[in-house]
Protein backbone atom coordinates (compact mmCIF):
# COMPACT_ATOMS: atom_id res chain seq x y z
CA UNK A 1 0.00 0.00 0.00
CA UNK A 2 1.36 3.43 -0.93
CA UNK A 3 1.74 6.14 1.68
CA UNK A 4 -0.92 8.24 -0.02
CA UNK A 5 -3.37 5.31 0.07
CA UNK A 6 -2.59 4.73 3.74
CA UNK A 7 -3.13 8.42 4.42
CA UNK A 8 -6.51 8.43 2.67
CA UNK A 9 -7.58 5.29 4.51
CA UNK A 10 -6.65 6.75 7.88
CA UNK A 11 -8.41 10.03 7.08
CA UNK A 12 -11.54 8.15 5.98
CA UNK A 13 -11.44 6.07 9.15
CA UNK A 14 -11.15 9.19 11.30
CA UNK A 15 -14.07 10.83 9.51
CA UNK A 16 -16.21 7.72 9.89
CA UNK A 17 -15.28 7.35 13.54
CA UNK A 18 -16.19 10.98 14.10
CA UNK A 19 -19.62 10.41 12.55
CA UNK A 20 -20.07 7.26 14.64
CA UNK A 21 -19.21 9.22 17.77
CA UNK A 22 -21.75 11.89 16.86
CA UNK A 23 -24.34 9.16 16.29
CA UNK A 24 -23.70 7.62 19.71
CA UNK A 25 -23.96 11.08 21.29
CA UNK A 26 -27.26 11.53 19.47
CA UNK A 27 -28.51 8.25 20.92
CA UNK A 28 -27.48 9.24 24.44
CA UNK A 29 -29.22 12.62 24.09
CA UNK A 30 -32.47 10.87 23.07
CA UNK A 31 -32.36 8.22 25.80
CA UNK A 32 -35.13 9.86 27.85
CA UNK A 33 -37.41 10.56 24.88
CA UNK A 34 -40.04 7.74 24.73
CA UNK A 35 -40.48 8.33 20.99
CA UNK A 36 -36.77 8.28 20.15
CA UNK A 37 -35.59 5.24 18.22
CA UNK A 38 -31.97 4.18 18.52
CA UNK A 39 -29.85 4.99 15.50
CA UNK A 40 -27.56 2.27 14.15
CA UNK A 41 -24.47 3.19 12.15
CA UNK A 42 -23.05 0.66 9.72
CA UNK A 43 -19.60 1.22 8.19
CA UNK A 44 -19.65 0.60 4.44
CA UNK A 45 -16.51 0.26 2.34
CA UNK A 46 -15.98 2.53 -0.63
CA UNK A 47 -13.40 2.78 -3.42
CA UNK A 48 -9.68 3.05 -2.69
CA UNK A 49 -10.15 1.79 0.87
CA UNK A 50 -12.49 4.62 1.83
CA UNK A 51 -15.38 4.07 4.21
CA UNK A 52 -18.62 5.89 5.00
CA UNK A 53 -21.38 5.55 7.58
CA UNK A 54 -24.86 4.27 6.72
CA UNK A 55 -27.44 5.26 9.37
CA UNK A 56 -30.68 3.36 10.06
CA UNK A 57 -33.34 3.28 12.82
CA UNK A 58 -33.81 0.22 15.00
CA UNK A 59 -37.59 0.55 14.59
CA UNK A 60 -39.87 -2.49 14.71
CA UNK A 61 -43.09 -1.86 12.78
CA UNK A 62 -44.77 -5.00 14.16
CA UNK A 63 -44.14 -3.95 17.76
CA UNK A 64 -45.37 -0.42 17.02
CA UNK A 65 -48.58 -1.81 15.51
CA UNK A 66 -49.12 -3.99 18.57
CA UNK A 67 -48.56 -1.06 20.89
CA UNK A 68 -51.03 1.10 18.92
CA UNK A 69 -53.63 -1.68 19.19
CA UNK A 70 -53.18 -2.21 22.94
CA UNK A 71 -53.00 1.53 23.62
CA UNK A 72 -56.38 1.98 21.90
CA UNK A 73 -57.94 -0.82 23.92
CA UNK A 74 -56.52 0.64 27.13
CA UNK A 75 -57.88 4.09 26.26
CA UNK A 76 -61.39 2.68 25.86
CA UNK A 77 -61.42 0.43 28.93
CA UNK A 78 -59.80 3.09 31.12
CA UNK A 79 -62.53 5.55 30.11
CA UNK A 80 -65.22 2.98 30.74
CA UNK A 81 -63.79 2.14 34.15
CA UNK A 82 -63.76 5.80 35.19
CA UNK A 83 -67.37 6.20 34.09
CA UNK A 84 -68.57 3.07 35.86
CA UNK A 85 -66.72 4.13 39.00
CA UNK A 86 -68.75 7.34 38.91
CA UNK A 87 -72.03 5.47 38.41
CA UNK A 88 -71.15 3.12 41.25
CA UNK A 89 -70.30 6.11 43.44
CA UNK A 90 -73.86 7.45 43.20
CA UNK A 91 -74.91 4.77 45.70
CA UNK A 92 -71.44 3.57 46.69
CA UNK A 93 -70.60 0.73 49.04
CA UNK A 94 -69.54 3.31 51.63
CA UNK A 95 -73.04 4.74 51.51
CA UNK A 96 -75.06 1.61 50.83
CA UNK A 97 -77.80 2.86 53.14
CA UNK A 98 -78.54 5.56 50.55
CA UNK A 99 -79.27 3.19 47.64
CA UNK A 100 -82.84 2.78 46.33
CA UNK A 101 -82.80 -0.86 47.43
CA UNK A 102 -81.83 0.00 51.01
CA UNK A 103 -84.21 2.97 51.21
CA UNK A 104 -87.06 0.88 49.84
CA UNK A 105 -86.34 -1.67 52.56
CA UNK A 106 -86.42 1.15 55.12
CA UNK A 107 -89.79 2.30 53.79
CA UNK A 108 -91.16 -1.23 53.97
CA UNK A 109 -89.98 -1.63 57.57
CA UNK A 110 -91.45 1.73 58.50
CA UNK A 111 -94.79 0.76 56.94
CA UNK A 112 -94.69 -2.46 58.94
CA UNK A 113 -94.19 -0.48 62.12
CA UNK A 114 -97.01 1.87 61.16
CA UNK A 115 -99.28 -1.10 60.48
CA UNK A 116 -98.62 -2.33 64.00
CA UNK A 117 -99.46 1.12 65.41
CA UNK A 118 -101.92 2.62 62.89
CA UNK A 119 -103.20 5.15 65.41
CA UNK A 120 -99.73 6.63 66.02
CA UNK A 121 -99.37 9.66 63.74
CA UNK A 122 -95.68 10.12 64.54
CA UNK A 123 -94.98 6.62 63.18
CA UNK A 124 -96.93 7.59 60.06
CA UNK A 125 -94.81 10.73 59.72
CA UNK A 126 -91.69 8.57 59.96
CA UNK A 127 -92.96 6.38 57.11
CA UNK A 128 -93.61 9.45 54.94
CA UNK A 129 -90.08 10.66 55.77
CA UNK A 130 -88.65 7.36 54.51
CA UNK A 131 -90.63 7.81 51.30
CA UNK A 132 -89.15 11.31 50.88
CA UNK A 133 -85.63 9.91 51.29
CA UNK A 134 -86.33 7.32 48.60
CA UNK A 135 -87.69 9.89 46.14
CA UNK A 136 -84.72 12.17 46.79
CA UNK A 137 -82.31 9.31 46.14
CA UNK A 138 -83.94 8.60 42.79
CA UNK A 139 -83.78 12.31 41.93
CA UNK A 140 -80.09 12.36 42.82
CA UNK A 141 -79.42 9.26 40.78
CA UNK A 142 -81.01 10.80 37.71
CA UNK A 143 -79.12 14.07 38.13
CA UNK A 144 -75.80 12.26 38.53
CA UNK A 145 -76.40 9.95 35.56
CA UNK A 146 -77.26 12.86 33.29
CA UNK A 147 -74.27 14.83 34.59
CA UNK A 148 -72.07 11.88 33.63
CA UNK A 149 -73.59 11.89 30.14
CA UNK A 150 -73.05 15.64 29.85
CA UNK A 151 -69.42 15.30 30.93
CA UNK A 152 -68.89 12.43 28.48
CA UNK A 153 -70.39 14.54 25.70
CA UNK A 154 -68.02 17.39 26.58
CA UNK A 155 -65.07 14.98 26.63
CA UNK A 156 -66.12 13.64 23.21
CA UNK A 157 -65.92 17.20 21.90
CA UNK A 158 -62.44 17.58 23.41
CA UNK A 159 -61.37 14.24 21.95
CA UNK A 160 -62.56 15.24 18.47
CA UNK A 161 -60.66 18.53 18.71
CA UNK A 162 -57.53 16.67 19.82
CA UNK A 163 -57.81 14.17 16.95
CA UNK A 164 -58.09 17.00 14.41
CA UNK A 165 -55.10 18.79 15.96
CA UNK A 166 -52.99 15.61 15.93
CA UNK A 167 -53.92 14.86 12.32
CA UNK A 168 -52.88 18.40 11.33
CA UNK A 169 -49.48 17.89 13.00
CA UNK A 170 -49.25 14.48 11.36
CA UNK A 171 -49.69 16.05 7.91
CA UNK A 172 -46.73 18.39 8.48
CA UNK A 173 -44.43 15.63 9.72
CA UNK A 174 -45.55 13.12 7.08
CA UNK A 175 -44.80 15.62 4.28
CA UNK A 176 -41.30 16.12 5.69
CA UNK A 177 -40.77 12.36 5.72
CA UNK A 178 -41.92 12.05 2.10
CA UNK A 179 -39.82 14.97 0.84
CA UNK A 180 -36.76 13.85 2.80
CA UNK A 181 -37.10 10.28 1.52
CA UNK A 182 -37.28 11.50 -2.08
CA UNK A 183 -34.18 13.69 -1.67
CA UNK A 184 -32.21 11.03 0.20
CA UNK A 185 -31.97 13.11 3.39
CA UNK A 186 -31.92 11.70 6.91
CA UNK A 187 -35.60 11.57 7.98
CA UNK A 188 -35.13 9.51 11.15
CA UNK A 189 -36.09 12.41 13.44
CA UNK A 190 -39.30 12.97 11.49
CA UNK A 191 -40.07 9.25 11.57
CA UNK A 192 -39.74 9.34 15.36
CA UNK A 193 -42.12 12.30 15.52
CA UNK A 194 -44.58 10.51 13.24
CA UNK A 195 -44.54 7.37 15.37
CA UNK A 196 -45.14 9.49 18.47
CA UNK A 197 -48.17 11.11 16.83
CA UNK A 198 -49.55 7.68 15.91
CA UNK A 199 -49.30 6.65 19.56
CA UNK A 200 -51.22 9.76 20.63
CA UNK A 201 -53.90 9.31 17.99
CA UNK A 202 -54.36 5.66 18.95
CA UNK A 203 -55.16 6.72 22.51
CA UNK A 204 -58.10 8.72 21.19
CA UNK A 205 -59.41 6.39 18.49
CA UNK A 206 -58.59 2.89 17.28
CA UNK A 207 -56.51 3.04 14.10
CA UNK A 208 -54.68 0.94 11.53
CA UNK A 209 -51.99 2.18 9.15
CA UNK A 210 -50.55 1.44 5.70
CA UNK A 211 -47.16 2.56 4.32
CA UNK A 212 -46.96 3.60 0.67
CA UNK A 213 -44.10 4.71 -1.55
CA UNK A 214 -41.67 7.36 -0.29
CA UNK A 215 -42.56 6.40 3.30
CA UNK A 216 -46.01 7.96 2.91
CA UNK A 217 -48.43 6.74 5.62
CA UNK A 218 -52.21 6.32 5.46
CA UNK A 219 -54.31 6.12 8.63
CA UNK A 220 -57.68 4.36 8.91
CA UNK A 221 -60.13 4.24 11.78
CA UNK A 222 -60.95 0.68 12.85
CA UNK A 223 -64.30 1.03 11.13
CA UNK A 224 -62.40 1.33 7.84
CA UNK A 225 -63.03 5.04 7.45
CA UNK A 226 -59.97 6.95 6.24
CA UNK A 227 -58.60 9.41 8.77
CA UNK A 228 -55.56 10.52 6.81
CA UNK A 229 -54.49 10.04 3.21
CA UNK A 230 -52.28 12.82 1.94
CA UNK A 231 -54.26 15.22 4.08
CA UNK A 232 -56.36 14.83 7.24
CA UNK A 233 -60.05 14.03 6.97
CA UNK A 234 -62.36 16.23 9.01
CA UNK A 235 -63.66 14.73 12.26
CA UNK A 236 -66.77 16.66 13.30
CA UNK A 237 -69.08 16.69 16.30
CA UNK A 238 -71.77 18.98 17.69
CA UNK A 239 -72.06 18.93 21.51
CA UNK A 240 -75.48 18.60 23.13
CA UNK A 241 -76.43 21.58 25.29
CA UNK A 242 -78.19 19.62 28.04
CA UNK A 243 -79.03 16.00 28.75
CA UNK A 244 -82.18 14.50 30.19
CA UNK A 245 -83.43 10.92 30.29
CA UNK A 246 -84.31 9.97 26.73
CA UNK A 247 -82.05 12.60 25.18
CA UNK A 248 -79.77 11.14 22.50
CA UNK A 249 -76.28 12.53 22.01
CA UNK A 250 -75.07 13.61 18.58
CA UNK A 251 -72.93 11.35 16.44
CA UNK A 252 -69.27 11.79 15.57
CA UNK A 253 -68.58 12.03 11.85
CA UNK A 254 -65.36 11.24 10.00
CA UNK A 255 -65.47 12.77 6.55
CA UNK A 256 -69.27 12.64 6.75
CA UNK A 257 -69.43 9.00 7.88
CA UNK A 258 -71.03 8.52 11.34
CA UNK A 259 -69.19 6.58 14.02
CA UNK A 260 -70.82 4.70 16.89
CA UNK A 261 -69.54 2.32 19.54
CA UNK A 262 -70.77 -0.56 17.37
CA UNK A 263 -68.18 0.33 14.71
CA UNK A 264 -65.35 -0.61 17.06
CA UNK A 265 -64.22 -4.18 17.58
CA UNK A 266 -63.36 -4.59 21.25
CA UNK A 267 -65.93 -5.39 23.98
CA UNK A 268 -65.47 -1.93 25.44
CA UNK A 269 -64.35 -0.19 22.28
CA UNK A 270 -60.95 0.96 21.11
CA UNK A 271 -59.76 4.44 21.90
CA UNK A 272 -60.94 6.98 24.44
CA UNK A 273 -63.56 8.29 22.00
CA UNK A 274 -65.23 4.90 21.76
CA UNK A 275 -65.35 4.50 25.54
CA UNK A 276 -66.93 7.94 25.93
CA UNK A 277 -69.55 7.18 23.31
CA UNK A 278 -70.45 3.92 25.00
CA UNK A 279 -70.78 5.62 28.38
CA UNK A 280 -72.95 8.40 27.00
CA UNK A 281 -75.17 6.33 24.72
CA UNK A 282 -75.35 2.87 26.28
CA UNK A 283 -74.08 2.37 29.82
CA UNK A 284 -75.47 5.48 31.54
CA UNK A 285 -78.85 5.37 29.71
CA UNK A 286 -79.26 1.69 30.66
CA UNK A 287 -78.80 2.54 34.33
CA UNK A 288 -81.19 5.48 34.00
CA UNK A 289 -83.85 3.15 32.60
CA UNK A 290 -83.56 0.94 35.67
CA UNK A 291 -83.94 3.93 37.99
CA UNK A 292 -86.98 5.00 35.98
CA UNK A 293 -88.49 1.53 36.34
CA UNK A 294 -88.06 1.71 40.12
CA UNK A 295 -89.74 5.12 40.19
CA UNK A 296 -92.53 4.06 37.85
CA UNK A 297 -93.25 1.02 39.98
CA UNK A 298 -93.42 3.15 43.12
CA UNK A 299 -95.98 5.49 41.58
CA UNK A 300 -98.10 2.55 40.49
CA UNK A 301 -97.67 0.62 43.72
CA UNK A 302 -98.87 3.48 45.93
CA UNK A 303 -101.57 4.67 43.54
CA UNK A 304 -105.04 5.58 44.83
CA UNK A 305 -107.83 3.39 43.46
CA UNK A 306 -111.56 3.98 43.16
CA UNK A 307 -113.18 1.92 45.94
CA UNK A 308 -116.67 1.81 44.35
CA UNK A 309 -117.96 -1.35 42.75
CA UNK A 310 -117.88 -1.12 39.85
CA UNK A 311 -115.11 1.50 39.80
CA UNK A 312 -115.63 4.46 37.51
CA UNK A 313 -112.66 6.63 38.38
CA UNK A 314 -109.11 6.11 37.09
CA UNK A 315 -106.17 5.27 39.29
CA UNK A 316 -104.23 8.37 40.29
CA UNK A 317 -100.82 8.91 41.94
CA UNK A 318 -100.95 8.66 45.72
CA UNK A 319 -97.96 8.81 48.06
CA UNK A 320 -95.56 9.13 45.13
CA UNK A 321 -96.36 11.55 42.36
CA UNK A 322 -94.40 12.88 39.39
CA UNK A 323 -94.44 15.52 36.65
CA UNK A 324 -96.99 13.62 34.55
CA UNK A 325 -99.66 13.48 37.30
CA UNK A 326 -102.58 13.03 37.54
CA UNK A 327 -102.14 10.53 34.70
CA UNK A 328 -100.61 7.20 35.67
CA UNK A 329 -97.51 5.87 33.87
CA UNK A 330 -98.17 2.81 31.71
CA UNK A 331 -97.57 -0.56 33.36
CA UNK A 332 -94.33 -2.44 32.55
CA UNK A 333 -93.25 0.38 30.26
CA UNK A 334 -90.33 2.72 30.86
CA UNK A 335 -91.38 6.27 31.55
CA UNK A 336 -88.22 8.23 30.60
CA UNK A 337 -87.05 10.59 33.32
CA UNK A 338 -89.68 9.71 35.92
CA UNK A 339 -86.94 9.00 38.48
CA UNK A 340 -85.87 12.62 38.15
CA UNK A 341 -89.32 14.06 38.90
CA UNK A 342 -90.75 11.58 41.39
CA UNK A 343 -91.61 13.09 44.78
CA UNK A 344 -93.86 12.53 47.78
CA UNK A 345 -97.18 14.31 47.41
CA UNK A 346 -97.61 17.29 49.75
CA UNK A 347 -100.98 15.75 50.69
CA UNK A 348 -99.02 13.32 52.91
CA UNK A 349 -96.47 15.78 54.37
CA UNK A 350 -97.53 17.35 57.66
CA UNK A 351 -95.25 20.40 57.27
CA UNK A 352 -96.86 21.17 53.92
CA UNK A 353 -100.41 21.02 55.25
CA UNK A 354 -100.95 17.35 54.50
CA UNK A 355 -101.61 14.35 56.70
CA UNK A 356 -99.70 11.05 56.93
CA UNK A 357 -103.00 9.34 57.86
CA UNK A 358 -103.81 9.28 54.13
CA UNK A 359 -101.18 6.55 53.93
CA UNK A 360 -103.28 4.48 56.35
CA UNK A 361 -106.76 5.43 55.14
CA UNK A 362 -106.41 6.13 51.42
CA UNK A 363 -107.93 9.14 49.76
CA UNK A 364 -106.71 12.25 48.00
CA UNK A 365 -106.26 15.92 48.60
CA UNK A 366 -108.64 17.58 47.91
CA UNK A 367 -110.63 14.87 49.59
CA UNK A 368 -112.52 12.42 47.41
CA UNK A 369 -114.46 9.78 49.38
CA UNK A 370 -114.42 7.40 46.41
CA UNK A 371 -110.71 6.73 47.02
CA UNK A 372 -110.95 6.27 50.81
CA UNK A 373 -110.57 2.73 52.16
CA UNK A 374 -110.90 3.45 55.88
CA UNK A 375 -114.31 5.05 55.55
CA UNK A 376 -114.94 4.90 59.29
CA UNK A 377 -111.64 6.67 60.08
CA UNK A 378 -110.81 3.87 62.50
CA UNK A 379 -107.53 4.47 64.33
CA UNK A 380 -106.87 0.72 64.35
CA UNK A 381 -107.28 0.24 60.58
CA UNK A 382 -104.19 -1.38 59.01
CA UNK A 383 -105.49 -3.29 55.98
CA UNK A 384 -104.25 -0.72 53.47
CA UNK A 385 -100.81 -0.59 55.07
CA UNK A 386 -100.58 -4.38 54.99
CA UNK A 387 -101.58 -4.28 51.34
CA UNK A 388 -98.79 -1.80 50.54
CA UNK A 389 -96.24 -3.98 52.34
CA UNK A 390 -97.43 -6.97 50.35
CA UNK A 391 -97.15 -5.00 47.12
CA UNK A 392 -93.52 -4.08 47.85
CA UNK A 393 -92.70 -7.77 48.35
CA UNK A 394 -94.81 -9.07 45.45
CA UNK A 395 -93.30 -9.91 42.02
CA UNK A 396 -93.95 -7.28 39.36
CA UNK A 397 -93.50 -6.86 35.63
CA UNK A 398 -90.85 -4.53 34.22
CA UNK A 399 -89.86 -3.30 30.80
CA UNK A 400 -87.28 -5.72 29.39
CA UNK A 401 -85.59 -2.81 27.63
CA UNK A 402 -84.19 -1.77 31.02
CA UNK A 403 -81.96 -4.83 30.94
CA UNK A 404 -83.32 -6.81 33.89
CA UNK A 405 -85.81 -9.53 33.08
CA UNK A 406 -88.05 -11.76 35.16
CA UNK A 407 -90.77 -11.29 37.74
CA UNK A 408 -89.11 -9.66 40.75
CA UNK A 409 -90.24 -7.74 43.76
CA UNK A 410 -89.33 -4.07 43.64
CA UNK A 411 -86.78 -4.60 46.43
CA UNK A 412 -85.13 -7.40 44.44
CA UNK A 413 -85.29 -5.40 41.22
CA UNK A 414 -83.57 -2.37 42.72
CA UNK A 415 -80.93 -4.65 44.26
CA UNK A 416 -80.46 -6.37 40.88
CA UNK A 417 -79.91 -2.96 39.29
CA UNK A 418 -77.00 -2.21 41.61
CA UNK A 419 -75.70 -5.76 41.21
CA UNK A 420 -75.72 -5.60 37.40
CA UNK A 421 -73.85 -2.30 37.52
CA UNK A 422 -71.22 -3.72 39.87
CA UNK A 423 -70.89 -6.85 37.73
CA UNK A 424 -70.13 -4.78 34.66
CA UNK A 425 -67.81 -2.54 36.64
CA UNK A 426 -65.90 -5.59 37.86
CA UNK A 427 -65.64 -6.93 34.31
CA UNK A 428 -64.41 -3.60 32.94
CA UNK A 429 -61.91 -3.23 35.80
CA UNK A 430 -60.47 -6.68 35.07
CA UNK A 431 -60.33 -5.95 31.35
CA UNK A 432 -58.69 -2.59 32.00
CA UNK A 433 -56.06 -4.20 34.22
CA UNK A 434 -55.36 -6.76 31.51
CA UNK A 435 -55.17 -4.06 28.83
CA UNK A 436 -52.83 -2.07 31.04
CA UNK A 437 -50.49 -5.04 31.34
CA UNK A 438 -50.56 -5.62 27.57
CA UNK A 439 -49.86 -1.96 26.83
CA UNK A 440 -47.04 -1.89 29.37
CA UNK A 441 -45.46 -5.01 27.91
CA UNK A 442 -45.82 -3.67 24.37
CA UNK A 443 -44.15 -0.44 25.46
CA UNK A 444 -41.35 -2.39 27.17
CA UNK A 445 -40.88 -4.49 24.05
CA UNK A 446 -40.54 -1.37 21.91
CA UNK A 447 -38.10 0.11 24.42
CA UNK A 448 -36.00 -3.08 24.46
CA UNK A 449 -35.97 -3.37 20.67
CA UNK A 450 -35.75 0.29 19.69
CA UNK A 451 -34.81 2.26 22.78
CA UNK A 452 -31.42 3.45 23.96
CA UNK A 453 -29.37 1.55 26.53
CA UNK A 454 -26.90 3.99 28.07
CA UNK A 455 -24.51 1.19 29.08
CA UNK A 456 -24.38 -0.11 25.50
CA UNK A 457 -23.83 3.38 24.10
CA UNK A 458 -21.02 4.10 26.54
CA UNK A 459 -19.37 0.82 25.60
CA UNK A 460 -19.65 1.82 21.94
CA UNK A 461 -18.09 5.18 22.79
CA UNK A 462 -15.06 3.43 24.34
CA UNK A 463 -14.66 1.21 21.27
CA UNK A 464 -14.85 4.26 19.01
CA UNK A 465 -12.22 5.96 21.14
CA UNK A 466 -9.89 3.00 20.57
CA UNK A 467 -10.66 3.07 16.85
CA UNK A 468 -9.91 6.77 16.74
CA UNK A 469 -6.59 6.21 18.51
CA UNK A 470 -5.68 3.46 16.03
CA UNK A 471 -6.42 5.72 13.07
CA UNK A 472 -4.45 8.51 14.70
CA UNK A 473 -1.46 6.20 15.10
CA UNK A 474 -1.62 5.32 11.41
CA UNK A 475 -1.56 9.02 10.56
CA UNK A 476 1.38 9.49 12.86
CA UNK A 477 3.24 6.59 11.22
CA UNK A 478 2.53 7.90 7.73
CA UNK A 479 3.64 11.37 8.82
CA UNK A 480 6.92 9.94 10.16
CA UNK A 481 7.50 8.00 6.91
CA UNK A 482 6.85 11.07 4.81
CA UNK A 483 9.27 13.08 6.90
CA UNK A 484 11.93 10.38 6.48
CA UNK A 485 11.30 10.34 2.73
CA UNK A 486 11.60 14.10 2.45
CA UNK A 487 14.79 14.11 4.52
CA UNK A 488 16.24 11.40 2.28
CA UNK A 489 15.45 13.43 -0.84
CA UNK A 490 17.18 16.47 0.63
Amino acid sequence: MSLSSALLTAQSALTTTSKQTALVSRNIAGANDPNFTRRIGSVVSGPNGSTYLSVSRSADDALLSKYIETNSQLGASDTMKSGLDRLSGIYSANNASGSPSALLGDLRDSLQQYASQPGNNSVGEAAVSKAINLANALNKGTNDVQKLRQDADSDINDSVKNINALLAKFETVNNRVINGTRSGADVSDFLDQRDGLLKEISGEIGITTMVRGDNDLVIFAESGVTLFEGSPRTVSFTPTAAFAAGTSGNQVYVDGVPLSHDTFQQPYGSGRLSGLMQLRDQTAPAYQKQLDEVARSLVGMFAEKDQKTPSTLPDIPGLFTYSGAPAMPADATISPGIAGTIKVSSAYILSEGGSPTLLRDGGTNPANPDYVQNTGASAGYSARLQGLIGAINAPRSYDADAGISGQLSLVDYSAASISSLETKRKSVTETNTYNGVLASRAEDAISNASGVNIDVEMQSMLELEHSYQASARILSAVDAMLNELLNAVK
Side-chain angles (χ1 to χ4, degrees), residues 129-150:
S129 178
K130 298 296 185 184
I132 292 173
N133 291 341
L134 177 55
N136 290 341
L138 291 169
N139 297 161
K140 178 184 184 300
T142 295
N143 290 336
D144 289 352
V145 168
Q146 299 312 315
K147 180 64 167 59
L148 171 62
R149 297 186 69 207
Q150 186 72 65

Side-chain angles (χ1 to χ4, degrees), residues 461-480:
M461 190 68 81
L462 289 174
E463 293 173 356
L464 290 171
E465 182 181 352
H466 295 156
S467 177
Y468 188 90
Q469 291 171 349
S471 298
R473 283 195 295 270
I474 293 175
L475 283 176
S476 297
V478 171
D479 180 63

Side-chain angles (χ1 to χ4, degrees), residues 230-280:
S231 61
R233 300 297 190 261
T234 300
V235 184
S236 58
F237 173 71
T238 302
T240 301
F243 277 88
T247 301
S248 297
N250 294 320
Q251 291 180 308
V252 176
Y253 293 88
V254 178
D255 211 16
V257 178
L259 296 180
S260 68
H261 171 70
D262 294 336
T263 65
F264 299 93
Q265 301 298 317
Q266 299 302 317
Y268 303 113
S270 54
R272 174 170 170 260
L273 179 61
S274 176
L276 290 169
M277 292 169 66
Q278 185 176 177
L279 279 174
R280 185 197 67 178

Side-chain angles (χ1 to χ4, degrees), residues 93-174:
N94 294 330
N95 188 29
S97 60
S99 70
S101 176
L103 293 174
L104 185 57
D106 291 344
L107 175 58
R108 179 190 56 193
D109 295 343
S110 189
L111 288 173
Q112 186 67 62
Q113 187 174 4
Y114 191 22
S116 65
Q117 305 175 58
N120 191 332
N121 288 340
S122 62
V123 179
E125 288 181 47
V128 172
S129 178
K130 298 296 185 184
I132 292 173
N133 291 341
L134 177 55
N136 290 341
L138 291 169
N139 297 161
K140 178 184 184 300
T142 295
N143 290 336
D144 289 352
V145 168
Q146 299 312 315
K147 180 64 167 59
L148 171 62
R149 297 186 69 207
Q150 186 72 65
D151 290 346
D153 192 74
S154 177
D155 288 343
I156 288 172
N157 190 44
D158 292 341
S159 179
V160 167
K161 289 179 180 178
N162 193 32
I163 290 171
N164 284 322
L166 290 170
L167 290 175
K169 292 180 182 178
F170 187 88
E171 180 182 24
T172 300
V173 175
N174 191 59

Side-chain angles (χ1 to χ4, degrees), residues 435-455:
N435 288 342
V437 172
L438 285 183
S440 178
R441 289 182 178 175
E443 186 174 20
D444 289 344
I446 290 178
S447 178
N448 292 335
S450 308
V452 175
N453 186 315
I454 294 295
D455 292 337

Side-chain angles (χ1 to χ4, degrees), residues 21-38:
T21 302
L23 189 64
V24 172
S25 298
R26 188 178 176 187
N27 285 337
I28 293 174
N32 294 323
D33 184 350
N35 295 320
F36 183 84
T37 301
R38 182 173 181 264

